[in-house]
Amino acid sequence: MNRKTITCCVLGLLSAACAVKAQDPLPKSSTDKGAPTVVSARKFLLEAETRYFELANKAQRAQWVQENFITDDTEEIAAEASQELNSFSAEMSKKAHRFDGLKLPSELARKMLLLKLSTTFPAPADAKEQRELAQVLASLTGDYGKGKWCPDGPGGKCLDITAIERLLATSRDPEELKRAWLGWHAVGAPMRQRYARMVELGNKGSRELGFRDAGALWRSNYDMPPDQFSKEEDRLWEQLRPLYESLHAYVRGQLRKKYGAELVPAHGPIPAHLLGNLWSQEWNNVYELMDSPKPPQGYNLTRILQDRKTDARGMVRYGEGFFTSLGFSPLPKTFWERSLFTKPADRDVICHASAWDVDSKDDLRIKMCIQITEEDFRVIHHELGHNFYQRAYDTQPPLFQSSANDGFHEAVGDTIALSVTPDYLKKLGLIDAVPPASGDIDYLLQQALEKVAFLPFGLLVDKWRWDVFDGEVKPENYNKAWWELRKKYQGIAPPVERTEGDFDPGAKYHVPGNVPYARYFLARILQFQFHRALCREAGYSGPLHRCSVYGNKTAGEKLNTMLAMGQSKPWPEALETLTGEKQMDATALADYFAPLKAWLDGQNAEKHYPVGW
C-alpha cells in the first residue's frame, strides 16, 4: 500500500505541521506574579489549555480550507492561523518552565511536560521571524500541492501526483517510469532555499525553548531522553533488518529477470523508479512481477470492487462497518457531509489521505482522492482508525487529546488494516471462498511488499532531518546525504545521477509539510504488537496473518480502553493496557512473517540471489 497518510496538524495539539501571529499571552496575574504554587500552576494550565484549544481548532479549519482550495489567499489565511498557534504554544512552553522544581500532582505534571513540548517546530520570539516561518511553511506545502509533471512541456497535458502515482504503479516501460520519476522529483528543487531557511528559524525557536535543535525537540516526545529514542529505533531496526534484506534480495532478482542486467545489478542497489512507487517506500505495485506460488482460489479485490460499481462513499462505508462491528458508534452525519472523498475537477487539492478532527469534539472528516483499488480500500480502514481514535479521547482535557505517542495514531489504523484478511472479505461477501493455506506465502509476500519494504524508509526520513537540524548535513549537501541514507538503509539508488541542483527530499510531502516521520516506522512495529494482542483477546490461536478481529466486540472494548486514554499517561502504560507489555517489540512482526522469511531464504539460495548491496 502506498502510505499516503498525512496526519499533519489535524491529529491534535502536538502536531508537527502547525506553525502560527503573536497572540496576547495569558493574563499576567496568573502567570508572572508571586512564587509558583500548585494552585497557580493549575490555573496557568487551565487558561493555557482553554486558549490552546481555541487556536488549534482555528488553525485546523484554516488548514482544511487551504489544502482543499490552494490559492495565495488561503495560504495566507492558513499561515496567519498557524503563526498564531505556534507563537502561543512557544510562549506557553517558555512560561511552563517557571514551575520547574515544583512538585505537582501527576496529572498536572504530565500536562506541564506536554505543554513544554506542545510545538514541534517552534517559531522564534521575534515577530518578524514568526511571520516569515509561517509563510515559508505555507508556501512549501502549497508548492507540493500544486506540483505537476507536464510530459509534453508547459503547453501540453500535465499530470498531478495522483496520475503520476498511477503511472508508476502500472507501467512496465523503464523509460516511461524514469521520465515520470524525474518529472515529479523536479517539484523539490525550488524548495531548497526556503527549506534551509525554515531549518534556521525552527532551530532558533527550539533553542529558545531550551532544546539543542528541532530534532532534539522532536525526539523528546517519546517519554525518554532524545538520544535514548534514537537508540530505541536502531534496536527495533536491527531486529528486522535480516527480514528486509531477504526481501530486497528476492525482489532485486525478480526485477533483474524482468528488466535485464543492464538496468538491475546483481549485487547493488535497486533503481528507484522500478519499484512501483514514487518514493520506493512500498513495493506492492510490482507484486505481479514476483513468481511466488499463486493460490488456486486467488482473487483480485480491485477488480471485484470495480465490477460491483463500488463508489468512493461505498468504500468508506466498508471501513466504517469494520469499526461498528467492534462496538464503536457510527460516524456522525457531518462526516459524510464535510469529508472530501474524490478529487475535484475544478481545482488543486492536496490529495494525500488524512484524517481530521476539526473541532476536537465530533467534527470528524477524511480528505482523500479515493480510487477504487485494494490499496485505497486498506488506506480507508487506516484513516478511519485515526478518526475513531480522535473520538475515543475527545473527553480528555485538551493537552491529553492526542495518541499515547504519534506512532500509536498511525498504528491503530494499520492494526485494523491487518484484519482486512480473506476471511474478512468473505464475511463482507466480496469473495466466495477463503484461499487455502497453500496460498499463504503469496499473501504474506503481498503484505511484506508493503509492510516490510517500508521499514528502512520509515527510519531514514527523520534520520536525514535530524542530521539537517543538528548541522551535520549542510544545505550544500542535502541531496547527497539523502541518497547516502537511502542506499545505506533501503538499498535504493536514483535512476540517474542526482546533484545539489536537485532537492529530492522535497518530493516527499512530509518533508515540505514538516511532518515528523518516525511515527510511521514505530507504527509498523506497534501495529503487529497491537494485532497480536487483539487476536489473543478475541481467542484466536491460529497463524497471526490469518487473524481478523472483525465483529469481535471483546477485542473492540479492549482497543477502546487504550484509545480513550489519549496522551494522559506515558505511552508504555497505554501499550500495557492493550498488550500487557511495556516495551515496543518487533517480534510480533517477525512472527507474522516467519513463514515468508524461510521461503525467501530458500528462494534466494536456490536462485543464487545475493543478499545485501
Side-chain angles (χ1 to χ4, degrees):
M1 181 172 66
N2 180 349
R3 171 59 59 241
K4 305 177 193 172
T5 306
I6 312 300
T7 50
C8 222
C9 42
V10 301
L11 285 184
L13 304 176
L14 303 182
S15 147
C18 295
V20 202
K21 171 176 147 186
Q23 181 67 24
D24 290 339
L26 296 180
K28 289 188 177 181
S29 59
S30 65
T31 61
D32 296 332
K33 289 186 177 180
T37 65
V38 172
V39 173
S40 63
R42 189 183 304 275
K43 186 174 183 180
F44 165 75
L45 285 167
L46 177 62
E47 292 174 338
E49 280 192 299
T50 300
R51 184 59 180 154
Y52 203 104
F53 183 85
E54 295 170 355
L55 293 177
N57 291 337
K58 178 181 176 182
Q60 289 180 84
R61 290 186 185 281
Q63 189 183 0
W64 174 269
V65 174
Q66 188 261 327
E67 292 197 10
N68 282 280
F69 300 87
I70 302 173
T71 68
D72 292 342
D73 292 328
T74 59
E75 284 186 14
E76 181 76 11
I77 292 168
E80 288 179 358
S82 178
Q83 182 187 346
E84 191 174 8
L85 174 61
N86 199 30
S87 300
F88 179 82
S89 62
E91 178 71 13
M92 292 306 99
S93 179
K94 293 173 186 175
K95 288 182 179 292
H97 286 284
R98 176 172 176 260
F99 300 95
D100 288 352
L102 181 65
K103 185 169 179 57
L104 297 171
S106 59
E107 180 179 347
L108 296 187
R110 181 148 185 86
K111 284 186 177 182
M112 202 69 76
L113 170 65
L114 296 178
L115 189 60
K116 292 173 183 177
L117 298 169
S118 61
T119 173
T120 18
F121 209 72
D126 180 80
K128 183 179 178 182
E129 289 179 330
Q130 292 171 9
R131 178 68 177 165
E132 182 184 2
L133 177 59
Q135 290 174 333
V136 167
L137 288 168
S139 72
L140 289 172
T141 57
D143 279 5
Y144 189 94
K146 291 181 287 191
K148 288 182 172 61
W149 169 49
C150 305
D152 302 319
K157 181 182 178 181
C158 296
L159 304 180
D160 63 14
I161 189 169
T162 302
I164 300 170
E165 284 188 279
R166 191 182 306 119
L167 189 155
L168 263 289
T170 58
S171 175
R172 299 293 177 252
D173 179 342
E175 281 303 312
E176 183 179 42
L177 291 171
K178 182 168 70 173
R179 289 182 66 220
W181 190 96
L182 293 170
W184 175 253
H185 279 73
V187 74
M191 300 178 185
R192 173 190 284 265
Q193 186 174 352
R194 279 171 292 150
Y195 188 83
R197 179 58 177 159
M198 180 205 78
V199 171
E200 291 177 2
L201 294 170
N203 276 344
K204 182 177 181 181
S206 298
R207 287 192 293 271
E208 289 176 3
L209 296 182
F211 296 92
R212 186 172 68 245
D213 53 62
L217 191 158
W218 286 13
R219 297 191 300 278
S220 297
N221 278 283
Y222 295 97
D223 295 303
M224 63 179 70
D227 291 343
Q228 185 181 337
F229 177 69
S230 300
K231 293 175 182 176
E232 180 70 358
E233 278 203 318
D234 291 338
R235 177 185 70 82
L236 292 167
W237 167 241
E238 286 304 316
Q239 284 184 286
L240 299 169
R241 183 168 55 83
L243 173 60
Y244 176 80
E245 290 179 347
S246 292
L247 179 68
H248 179 281
Y250 173 73
V251 171
R252 179 179 56 195
Q254 296 286 288
L255 292 176
R256 183 177 169 87
K257 184 172 69 173
K258 166 67 178 177
Y259 292 110
E262 290 186 3
L263 281 180
V264 183
H267 298 271
I270 301 172
H273 63 303
L274 300 180
L275 285 161
N277 177 276
L278 269 173
W279 309 280
S280 311
Q281 66 183 59
E282 289 154 344
W283 307 344
N284 50 297
N285 288 320
V286 297
Y287 159 73
E288 67 177 36
L289 302 180
M290 306 295 111
D291 62 7
S292 54
K294 305 296 186 286
Q297 291 95 344
Y299 61 87
N300 184 321
L301 183 57
T302 296
R303 187 174 301 124
I304 291 169
L305 292 166
Q306 292 173 354
D307 288 346
R308 287 172 174 246
K309 310 297 183 188
T310 309
D311 61 10
R313 190 171 292 257
M315 295 270 282
V316 182
R317 287 289 184 190
Y318 280 124
E320 180 192 41
F322 193 106
F323 286 91
T324 56
S325 84
L326 298 179
F328 291 87
S329 299
L331 292 161
K333 181 182 177 183
T334 52
F335 173 88
W336 302 100
E337 296 169 343
R338 299 172 183 175
S339 291
L340 178 77
F341 298 134
T342 57
K343 188 180 188 306
D346 61 343
R347 66 180 190 271
D348 291 323
V349 300
I350 292 177
C351 273
H352 285 279
S354 51
W356 300 65
D357 180 13
V358 175
D359 64 356
S360 300
K361 294 177 183 175
D362 207 37
D363 189 355
L364 305 171
R365 310 177 190 180
I366 64 169
K367 178 177 62 61
M368 183 175 173
C369 302
I370 295 172
Q371 301 178 63
I372 311 304
T373 63
E374 177 174 0
E375 178 181 344
D376 278 8
F377 187 83
R378 293 178 183 274
V379 171
I380 287 164
H381 284 71
H382 171 97
E383 292 304 333
L384 294 186
H386 289 304
N387 286 139
F388 282 95
Y389 202 164
Q390 289 160 340
R391 186 161 66 180
Y393 60 57
D394 67 7
T395 58
Q396 291 282 358
L399 281 171
F400 293 159
Q401 287 189 20
S402 190
S403 56
N405 68 41
D406 54 11
F408 275 62
H409 234 308
E410 298 302 326
V412 166
D414 277 343
T415 299
I416 299 305
L418 286 174
S419 277
V420 180
T421 62
D423 182 66
Y424 166 58
L425 299 177
K426 183 177 184 298
K427 288 177 179 177
L428 293 183
L430 290 172
I431 61 176
D432 296 327
V434 175
S438 60
D440 283 7
I441 291 299
D442 185 64
Y443 177 76
L444 285 170
L445 178 61
Q446 292 183 63
Q447 287 284 79
L449 290 171
E450 175 198 339
K451 304 288 187 182
V452 177
F454 177 82
L455 290 167
F457 188 79
L459 188 69
L460 72 84
V461 173
D462 275 355
K463 281 188 175 291
W464 177 82
R465 282 193 286 200
W466 297 340
D467 287 346
V468 167
F469 291 149
D470 72 12
E472 183 174 331
V473 172
K474 308 294 184 186
E476 58 267 25
N477 291 314
Y478 277 172
N479 227 40
K480 178 176 180 287
W482 174 255
W483 284 107
E484 285 175 348
L485 285 172
R486 296 201 66 182
K487 180 179 179 181
K488 175 181 177 180
Y489 286 98
Q490 280 187 289
I492 300 296
V496 300
E497 184 178 352
R498 307 300 278 167
T499 71
E500 294 305 323
D502 305 303
F503 182 55
D504 293 328
K508 178 63 182 171
Y509 174 81
H510 302 71
V511 175
N514 214 34
V515 182
Y517 211 73
R519 62 183 64 173
Y520 301 105
F521 175 74
L522 299 182
R524 282 298 199 271
I525 310 298
L526 288 166
Q527 64 186 263
F528 290 92
Q529 205 168 348
F530 292 171
H531 183 60
R532 181 170 64 184
L534 291 174
C535 292
R536 186 169 56 233
E537 194 69 23
Y540 178 83
S541 59
L544 195 55
H545 61 271
R546 281 188 162 247
C547 172
S548 177
V549 298
Y550 175 72
N552 192 288
K553 290 182 170 54
T554 303
E557 183 178 356
K558 187 83 168 181
L559 176 62
N560 190 59
T561 299
M562 184 191 76
L563 302 186
M565 293 172 67
Q567 203 171 19
S568 63
K569 303 289 184 183
W571 66 260
E573 294 186 38
L575 179 65
E576 185 180 29
T577 298
L578 179 60
T579 69
E581 302 150 356
K582 283 193 169 185
Q583 186 180 45
M584 288 183 283
D585 181 13
T587 63
L589 188 154
D591 289 348
Y592 186 99
F593 287 108
L596 178 69
K597 174 67 163 61
W599 182 83
L600 288 170
D601 289 345
Q603 290 290 298
N604 291 336
E606 178 185 327
K607 294 178 166 64
H608 305 290
Y609 292 163
V611 176
W613 51 87

